[in-house]
Amino acid sequence: MRVQPVRLTLSLVATAGIAVAVTLLFLGMRSVMGVGGYCASGGPYQIRVECPHAIDWLLPVSVIGGVLCLFVFLVSSPDAVRRWAILAWTGLFLALGWNFFDFGLPWQGHPGEPVWIVLGFVFLVLALSPIVPVLRSGRRASGQAPGDEQVDFVARSGHGDAFTWEWSSASRSEADSEVGTVAGVAIAAALQRLAQLHRTGELTDAEYAAAKQALLEADQ
Amino acid sequence: MKQNNPAWLPIAYAIAVAVGITLGAWIFRAVAG
């Protein structure tokens, strides 16, 4: 694979930027959970729990910065690397999910919060669910136990799109279904023609029954 | 045709992630610590 230095540099900087954003969100979330899980700052109201210093702007800036870096990553990355963007999602939800477990379980002096443990499991599922199709496609591309579907994926993986296989598989089954429909229409037309010949007397009962049977068996 | 990544490519991205995490922790400590 030929790598363009400028695009690769942009892609690496964007990767570091995503990691900065996820780290800031992780630490910011811990900071807010440390004061009870919710806070506020500014405005004309009397605030029960003041936000930790700088959290009020740090978290939104992290989210916006992270999304911008993800965009730069997707635009600048080499084709074969672009699919790794899914790891940003997994890393984010694993990191934030860990916080829910860490503050939800009754350890390290925390009283424990069952709702946060449930949220921890939800984030764990969110983190791992997109990994499954990527691992499946990677296994198919690894060259073990070749079959029709795998050959199709390897042939298309040159485009660097992990999900091409799913699309090609779907279109293949649609094509198979279309072929089946065309064959069904042809059989129906042949049966109608046989019935017509039988009605006009050109085929005896025995001939009609045998021809019909042969046609139906050929379809199966 | 199947593409092969250069062997150093995953290492480069792993280093970029490590740098980002370190930088993020440093920024957080400087701004909100």
Side-chain angles (χ1 to χ4, degrees):
Chain A
M1 184 184 70
R2 216 179 140 73
V3 176
Q4 297 175 343
V6 176
R7 285 184 63 181
L8 180 65
T9 307
L10 256 180
S11 171
L12 287 170
V13 170
T15 302
I18 294 169
V20 168
V22 171
T23 305
L24 288 176
L25 283 171
F26 172 76
L27 294 174
M29 179 180 169
R30 292 183 71 81
S31 177
V32 172
M33 292 181 94
V35 295
Y38 58 90
C39 66
S41 60
Y45 308 106
Q46 187 175 8
I47 295 169
R48 181 190 284 182
V49 182
E50 192 75 37
C51 279
H53 180 60
I55 287 296
D56 53 338
W57 61 266
L58 195 58
L59 293 185
V61 167
S62 302
V63 172
I64 294 167
V67 170
L68 285 177
C69 287
L70 184 64
F71 177 75
V72 173
F73 177 86
L74 291 173
V75 170
S76 63
S77 293
D79 286 346
V81 170
R82 199 168 292 132
R83 74 179 70 174
W84 296 353
I86 199 68
L87 295 175
W89 168 280
T90 299
L92 174 68
F93 281 95
L94 277 183
L96 302 190
W98 166 254
N99 282 344
F100 279 124
F101 283 121
D102 193 18
F103 283 84
L105 291 168
W107 63 8
Q108 297 181 13
H110 304 304
E113 178 63 69
V115 175
W116 284 355
I117 297 172
V118 173
L119 286 173
F121 279 111
V122 170
F123 272 50
L124 191 63
V125 171
L126 282 171
L128 298 181
S129 52
I131 290 292
V132 174
V134 173
L135 288 181
R136 279 178 60 204
S137 66
R139 183 165 52 82
R140 286 191 176 107
S142 67
Q144 306 298 316
D148 277 358
E149 292 169 343
Q150 185 185 4
V151 169
D152 207 17
F153 172 76
V154 173
R156 291 167 180 277
S157 67
H159 300 293
D161 185 351
F163 299 102
T164 304
W165 180 84
E166 302 293 345
W167 176 83
S168 87
S169 172
S171 60
R172 171 179 300 220
S173 63
E174 280 168 19
D176 286 347
S177 156
E178 258 184 30
V179 169
T181 307
V182 170
V185 169
I187 294 288
L191 285 172
Q192 278 182 339
R193 175 76 181 139
L194 275 181
Q196 192 180 4
L197 290 171
H198 181 232
R199 273 199 303 274
T200 55
E202 291 179 49
L203 287 178
T204 64
D205 287 347
E207 286 169 341
Y208 172 68
K212 184 178 175 184
Q213 185 67 28
L215 197 59
L216 292 174
E217 279 174 1
D219 184 39
Q220 289 164 3
Chain B
M1 182 197 302
K2 194 176 186 310
Q3 283 183 324
N4 291 315
N5 297 334
W8 50 264
L9 204 59
I11 299 171
Y13 279 93
I15 292 173
V17 169
V19 168
I21 291 172
T22 308
L23 196 60
W26 182 81
I27 291 172
F28 188 84
R29 183 173 292 187
V31 173

